[in-house]
Amino acid sequence: MAARKGAKRAAPAPQLGRGEFVAWPGGPTAVYDLLERLAAVAGDSPDAGTHGISLDRTRLVVRWFGEPPAAVQAVLRDAGGVEVTVQQTAYRPGDLAVEADRLVAGHPDVVAAATPRPEGDGIEVLVPPAVAEAAGGAEQALAGVPSAVPLFAEVGEALPRT
């Protein structure tokens, strides 16, 4: 399909850091207010995971390693009408982020990209198609890559960083 003259291209998706989120326009804003308050008290905590928001923006899943600290619990008690569920993660999200970075840096020939899973149960790993094909699959390609956490292999290429 050809682009129309003068058509604008969509801006690339922003790169988000730990504790940051995208607020979608329209609908209830209470969940975003709650996320801002959570980020203020614990946004950079290595125990804080990736939170999940329902499509109607009325429910929030707060993923945490261990028991949330008192400041976080206080924010969650005053959730402003948002239904909140705290979901314990199997691994500390901060440790998963460090391990994902180690995998990419230490095994660039096998690992195209690695990111902690939102559920906090391991790391999603992208294996380049040629590497996966030569090894007989993405899981087989990762067989020689040591990790103390579960790796969830998929075939794919990493998007270039902007």
Side-chain angles (χ1 to χ4, degrees):
M1 173 181 265
R4 289 189 299 182
K5 271 192 168 176
K8 293 183 181 180
R9 291 184 179 248
Q15 295 293 327
L16 300 176
R18 286 184 51 76
E20 295 180 323
F21 57 90
V22 173
W24 300 105
T29 60
V31 73
Y32 299 118
D33 295 338
L34 179 58
L35 284 169
E36 285 179 1
R37 290 187 290 134
L38 277 172
V41 297
D44 61 352
S45 171
D47 295 337
T50 302
H51 308 309
I53 303 172
S54 66
L55 292 176
D56 65 1
R57 298 180 196 103
T58 61
R59 295 180 311 278
L60 178 68
V61 175
V62 174
R63 295 186 178 105
W64 203 271
F65 180 78
E67 189 68 26
V72 169
Q73 290 182 25
V75 167
L76 297 179
R77 277 192 299 274
D78 183 23
V82 176
E83 180 184 326
V84 177
T85 302
V86 176
Q87 184 180 73
Q88 300 291 314
T89 62
Y91 297 93
R92 178 172 275 116
D95 293 346
L96 291 176
V98 169
E99 177 66 358
D101 290 345
R102 184 194 71 79
L103 291 169
V104 171
H107 304 278
D109 53 332
V110 178
V111 178
T115 57
R117 288 172 47 99
E119 300 83 3
D121 61 351
I123 298 173
E124 294 279 352
V125 179
L126 281 180
V127 177
V131 174
E133 187 176 328
E139 293 85 9
Q140 292 85 344
L142 289 178
V145 176
S147 181
V149 300
L151 303 180
F152 295 83
E154 291 189 30
V155 176
E157 295 288 348
L159 295 176
R161 289 206 148 161
T162 56

